Amino acid sequence: RRWKENNIPMLQRVRDKTGRRVNLVHRLDRGASGCLLLTFAENHENENGEKASCSVTKSLIESMQNPDATKTYIALCDGDGSWNGVNYLEK
């Protein structure tokens, strides 16, 4: 695990903040763990009284795994554009 022991993993932070369970559907890649696609876990029962599967999560996971899927990533950023002394807005 790459996070320090005193840091809380992102999924747990989202759960704590929203008060709801979330599922990880997709992340851009291991090195860019800041780009995550999450869904809220569905908390309802089906007509038989059984816990329903998270159909939205399942559908999105299947779509993201499809090799023919078109994926477009848009980054919304906040900050001055600098990181480690490099101003990326000027590059």
Side-chain angles (χ1 to χ4, degrees):
R1 295 186 176 182
R2 293 183 176 208
W3 62 81
K4 296 178 185 175
E5 288 183 28
N6 61 348
N7 288 342
I8 300 171
M10 179 56 72
L11 284 180
Q12 187 61 51
R13 285 189 275 168
V14 173
R15 289 175 185 145
D16 293 346
K17 189 74 171 174
T18 64
R20 297 173 68 183
R21 287 194 54 212
V22 292
N23 300 314
L24 176 62
V25 173
H26 179 72
R27 69 176 173 203
L28 185 56
D29 62 40
R30 186 173 295 277
S33 60
C35 184
L36 306 172
L37 174 58
L38 308 171
T39 60
F40 287 116
E42 296 173 346
N43 293 320
H44 67 275
E45 296 179 351
N46 64 18
E47 60 277 357
N48 298 325
E50 301 168 332
K51 293 228 181 220
S53 65
C54 188
S55 59
V56 171
T57 300
K58 182 179 177 183
S59 176
L60 284 171
I61 289 172
E62 289 172 355
S63 295
M64 295 301 285
Q65 290 176 342
N66 183 336
D68 295 327
T70 299
K71 301 171 188 172
T72 303
Y73 300 93
I74 300 171
L76 302 175
C77 304
D78 184 24
D80 64 3
S82 297
W83 186 59
N84 286 342
V86 177
N87 184 338
Y88 287 92
L89 295 177
E90 295 177 358
K91 283 191 141 201

